Amino acid sequence: MKLVTDYLEDTAGRIPEKTALIDEHRQVTFGTLQTEAKKIATKLISMGIEKQPVVVYMNKSVEVIETFLGVAYSRNFYSPIDIHMPGSRVEKILETLKPCAVITKRECLTDPNMFGDTPILYFDELMEGSVDEEAVHAVTARAIDTDLLYVLFTSGSTGTPKGVIICHRSVIDYTEWVTKTFDIDETHIFGNQAPFYFDNSILDIYQMLKTGATMNIIPENLFSFPIKLLEYIEEQKINIIFWVPSALCLVANLKALGKRDISGLKKVLFCGEVMPNKQLNMWRRALPDALYANLYGPTEITDVCSYYIVDREFADTDSLPIGFPCENTDIMVINDQNQLVTGDEIGELCVRGTSLSFGYYNNPEKTEAAFVQNPLNTQYPEIIYRTGDLVKYNEYGEIIYCSRKDFQIKHMGHRIELGEIETAVSSIEDIQLCCCLYDEKRQKIVLFYTGEIEGKEIGERLKDLVPEYMIPNRYKPLEEMPINLNGKIDRVALKALI
Amino acid sequence: MREQILELLQDLNPDITDDDSVNLVEDEIIDSFDIANLVAAFEDAFEIEIDGEDIVPESFYNITAMEALIEKYKN
């Protein structure tokens, strides 16, 4: 396999009539998926666009996946942007990305000026076009596996989102590992929860493509009604899920488990934040025959670099291991002296291998800071990615997550740099100083600030600057901001005030 | 009971007031995660066990609705 589209060529060739994708409004077979994707590719090729970024700006639907693949077939790379993102943040992404086209639906594009001069292509119009097999074939013949497949933007600590770039080869490497490790085949029906701008979705999409499994895009509003969600899982015969822990916790905390028979669900995989054993145990009691696996990894290493298939009992307060490196991935836990840790010493988790992103799009500074020369290799150039996660090994040789090196948090399943929130708050008139902390216990983002402005007002202004999930949950105005001996805001003192 | 409920609500969002005309769920003042926390808080405070089937948005629209939910289990 050279390109991810080879997976589709293979599957559509074998089982064109099998259902590939299902959403609230339609379902498509592999044959249709291939044809519609190629229509999109044909158009992009005819516009002379090749090896360029194409923004995909649509609500979560079957069409998004068709568009991703259409972009891939044309030897371009896709960048999905959340339609709920405030305009000013979209602008920052566009400044970095400079896309050659935007593919969208009319009903999603509420502000036609949002993309400036960038050519806008409407999905329904693209479907009226035809497929030029020769053109698509010619382009894919000259593509190589290190060509980019997608750019996903993540929170940036200095206020500008960072675009993580991933090539075909990394996704193929990941996809092969998932299929083998979890025994995925065309009998699988995935209940997709992950948004398509979040790389957990890479597992669902490319397992579907490679194995001929079906991907069922679960209607988003069902996640607020856990009992209806379980009914959906049962009706749609979903037998595997790969969700963010917050979604699993919500179902558990809203007492839906045990209310409906979901014994058809055989594999429960999760990734994206710490999975508390308390809620996992609730799932394990309600669904004892399922396989549970904790997957771990930042976007920069193609979704997952380590995994732990649950094989024993855990107390509610135990820490669930993040386990062992994926096959063909090397994990190095490095201490402050740039050496491998020994015993139960804590160090930074670093990753080496094909799964690595080439860096951040158009951002050499941030790239150099995180993608560095392997300190244990002085013989030749070799890059490792420093995750910023502090971990250690337990007595079974399993990796255990400890904490972050910096101010990145996971809140309700979202990766957030507290610095991004602070940058946005600082831009508000009337704010003098500000500092954002995370109350782990209550899972709340707390903003300390000085300035003549009400917390509520800050929240209102932030709606135009950052996504909803980044808006602080608590506002604590102070007379004076505590400063430490280094002249910086004293976060330790603030922590005591939470 | 209203006061107790209000206190627990304000723990999640200090701006909430005792005003039944405001639909807390539809106006997105509290979300599913908040509801999950409220359920746990109510069970603790009122020594009841709420059944999953009753954990529907309608039970959390306003304080009166939440009062009704709790009363159902106290009896």
Side-chain angles (χ1 to χ4, degrees), chain A residues 101-164:
Chain A
V102 175
I103 302 180
T104 184
K105 294 180 190 172
R106 274 171 221 286
E107 62 265 31
C108 297
L109 196 62
T110 44
D111 175 9
N113 296 318
M114 178 180 245
F115 296 103
D117 295 325
T118 314
I120 306 220
L121 301 172
Y122 294 101
F123 187 87
D124 51 1
E125 279 171 27
L126 289 168
M127 289 304 105
E128 286 164 20
S130 55
V131 176
D132 183 347
E133 286 288 351
E134 262 182 56
V136 174
H137 186 79
V139 162
T140 40
R142 57 177 181 262
I144 65 173
D145 65 359
T146 52
D147 284 344
L148 298 189
L149 176 61
Y150 63 79
V151 187
L152 285 183
F153 281 85
T154 61
S155 180
S157 59
T158 51
T160 303
K162 299 184 298 199
V164 180

Side-chain angles (χ1 to χ4, degrees), chain A residues 301-491:
Chain A
I301 54 70
T302 317
D303 202 21
V304 178
C305 59
S306 83
Y307 72 111
Y308 171 65
I309 295 179
V310 181
D311 62 356
R312 59 182 188 273
E313 299 294 310
F314 286 94
D316 284 357
T317 49
D318 284 340
S319 192
L320 191 67
I322 58 177
F324 306 98
C326 302
E327 199 179 318
N328 203 31
T329 290
D330 187 24
I331 288 182
M332 299 153 50
V333 183
I334 297 181
N335 63 20
D336 287 336
Q337 286 81 51
N338 265 343
Q339 288 158 350
L340 293 176
V341 299
T342 50
D344 61 359
E345 194 187 348
I346 295 179
E348 182 175 8
L349 193 153
C350 300
V351 187
R352 196 176 67 94
T354 288
S355 60
L356 256 59
S357 158
F358 294 136
Y360 302 112
Y361 197 77
N362 237 336
N363 198 335
E365 197 194 309
K366 293 275 176 173
T367 301
E368 268 167 44
F371 294 86
V372 301
Q373 174 64 26
N374 180 353
L376 305 178
N377 176 0
T378 49
Q379 265 62 46
Y380 57 88
E382 181 181 49
I383 298 291
I384 63 168
Y385 173 66
R386 289 187 166 273
T387 63
D389 285 320
L390 298 175
V391 304
K392 65 178 185 186
Y393 290 97
N394 68 9
E395 67 265 41
Y396 301 101
E398 295 157 349
I399 304 171
I400 301 278
Y401 172 78
C402 298
S403 65
R404 277 302 294 183
K405 217 171 107 170
D406 56 19
F407 303 113
Q408 185 193 103
I409 60 165
K410 291 293 174 78
H411 176 64
M412 300 298 133
H414 297 281
R415 167 175 157 175
I416 301 171
E417 294 285 349
L418 292 173
E420 184 169 353
I421 305 176
E422 288 166 358
T423 304
V425 172
S426 299
S427 72
I428 297 172
E429 224 184 294
D430 298 325
I431 292 280
Q432 286 164 4
L433 289 176
C434 71
C435 186
C436 225
L437 268 66
Y438 192 55
D439 180 352
E440 286 279 356
K441 184 160 169 243
R442 294 183 195 87
Q443 299 196 332
K444 301 278 178 213
I445 300 174
V446 185
L447 179 74
F448 291 93
Y449 69 96
T450 52
E452 293 292 313
I453 178 171
E454 292 261 325
K456 214 166 164 181
E457 179 65 29
I458 300 176
E460 278 305 309
R461 308 263 191 96
L462 282 177
K463 284 189 181 150
D464 292 330
L465 300 172
V466 296
E468 185 113 26
Y469 56 81
M470 285 194 202
I471 298 186
N473 311 108
R474 292 269 181 284
Y475 296 94
K476 302 225 182 240
L478 301 170
E479 281 294 317
E480 228 185 283
M481 188 66 77
I483 306 288
N484 66 16
L485 295 171
N486 294 328
K488 291 186 159 173
I489 292 178
D490 191 342
R491 296 186 97 99

Side-chain angles (χ1 to χ4, degrees), chain B residues 12-29:
Chain B
L12 296 170
N13 185 337
D15 295 328
I16 296 178
T17 57
D18 188 344
D19 181 356
D20 273 353
S21 67
V22 175
N23 188 322
L24 298 170
V25 178
E26 300 209 344
D27 289 354
E28 298 186 0
I29 296 169

